[in-house]
Amino acid sequence: MNFSFYHQIPLWLDFAIFLAVLLTSLEIGYRIGLRRKEAWTENEEAGGKLSLTSMFAILGLMLAFTFSAAISRHEARKRSVIAESNALSTAFLRAGLIDEPVRSELRNVLLDYARTRRSDRDGTMTVARLESLIEESQEAKARLWPAVERMMHSSKPGPVEASVAGAVTTVLDCDTVRRAAIVDSLPAMVLTLLLLIAAATVSVAGFNAGLSGQISRWRTTLLILVLASIMLVILDFDRSIAGFIQVSPASIEAVIAEMEEVLARN
């Protein structure tokens, strides 16, 4: 899977990179400002405050844009899980309308497939682990349609069989949608541009502070911590693998529990 560098490394390392880049940019800007202090006699007329205000406005716009884009992708993944849960439940219930032995066969195949659709919630998900889970899921998925074909060939197809086939088709379609939602993320170029704009903004702030000959370290450090934290939250929303903000598998797990309970009674 083609995840960007930001999505493959641990979140704490992303945060460390953000902090290192922003703190370094601030310090470089401040040191350059100190060196230019004596020769810089018209800093206000040269647009110092105007440049800084404009850059903070651009940074705010970029943060809002990427935050909104990351949340929309997170919501798409959440909707795909709920839609797949509903599709699995519907297909399983409709399979109960057909006769044995096809009914039990199709229901067991649906249950096996549903078990492979649970998310890994232990926080150790990696790209390799995700690819392994998807491969396992595709193997279970490959047994769905042959079971439907056997159902259709076992007797003269009627409206019930057609509705079951339609429900299983929806399950297959949901897999495509969910896999697309998993791999959809903000391009590395967008995240890099956000980091560069933030770095340029704090460097201008440091430069202006250098021209004045003084800087409030705790205030600027706090600003950088806030910026890095916001960028981390944006990245966390955008990640479909290990992170603090993940789509809950509760709906899928509830469907699996219902399936197991029904099959245990029969």
Side-chain angles (χ1 to χ4, degrees), residues 138-163:
Q138 294 309 295
E139 291 175 357
K141 175 185 174 182
R143 297 193 294 270
L144 280 174
W145 196 249
V148 173
E149 290 179 338
R150 286 190 290 273
M151 173 195 70
M152 300 298 284
H153 295 154
S154 63
S155 60
K156 184 177 180 180
V160 172
E161 287 78 9
S163 68

Side-chain angles (χ1 to χ4, degrees), residues 94-110:
R94 289 186 184 180
L97 300 176
I98 58 180
D99 297 328
E100 293 285 8
V102 182
R103 176 176 62 200
S104 294
E105 178 191 1
L106 183 54
R107 280 186 156 183
N108 278 292
V109 171
L110 283 167

